[in-house]
Amino acid sequence: MNTYPDRYKNVSQAVLALERDGFLLMDEKYCLHLTEQGSLTAEKTHRKHIFFEKNLVLAGVDPALADREGSRMGHSLSNESFERIAAGGMRKEEELNSYESSDFQT
């Protein structure tokens, strides 16, 4: 998944990339509009952000930090991984300790 905020040095570069990838359109007055694909992607990313932000706050993380980190997690995690996590696919650390690293190699 592309992480536009981390990849580009300025807004102009990010806008050009988002246009090129079909997420944005610019009209004759230079106003930006999300495409249908852009809107769907934004909704999915926002859903991930809110999910992680709320879980971090419930875990005792400062709300401002939870917001920033929830945003990063929402932008970087694939939809497939998120859906599995949101469905309860995460394990507690002590449960994971019973696995060896070699158990996860493909």
Side-chain angles (χ1 to χ4, degrees):
M1 171 174 235
N2 292 327
T3 55
Y4 289 101
D6 296 333
R7 186 188 289 171
Y8 298 101
K9 301 281 187 244
N10 61 53
V11 172
S12 296
Q13 288 180 334
V15 167
L16 288 171
L18 290 165
E19 279 186 291
R20 181 196 65 228
D21 293 347
F23 296 106
L24 279 179
L25 294 173
M26 186 182 299
D27 66 22
E28 63 281 348
K29 294 181 182 179
Y30 301 101
C31 293
L32 299 172
H33 305 276
L34 287 171
T35 62
E36 186 175 339
Q37 177 185 2
S39 184
L40 290 172
T41 300
E43 288 172 16
K44 288 178 184 179
T45 302
H46 184 255
R47 179 175 169 237
K48 291 185 280 187
H49 173 164
I50 297 303
F51 174 87
F52 287 117
E53 179 183 3
K54 286 180 178 181
N55 274 282
L56 289 167
V57 169
L58 288 171
V61 175
D62 174 75
L65 178 60
D67 178 51
R68 289 191 307 273
E69 292 186 338
S71 178
R72 279 192 222 110
M73 295 164 90
H75 279 88
S76 62
L77 193 67
S78 72
N79 291 327
E80 178 185 357
S81 293
F82 171 71
E83 291 303 332
R84 292 183 185 241
I85 290 169
M90 294 293 283
R91 304 291 184 264
K92 293 191 180 235
E93 185 176 16
E94 54 270 9
E95 186 179 346
L96 293 174
N97 289 335
S98 65
Y99 293 98
E100 298 294 326
S101 296
S102 60
D103 294 336
F104 299 104
Q105 294 176 359
T106 56

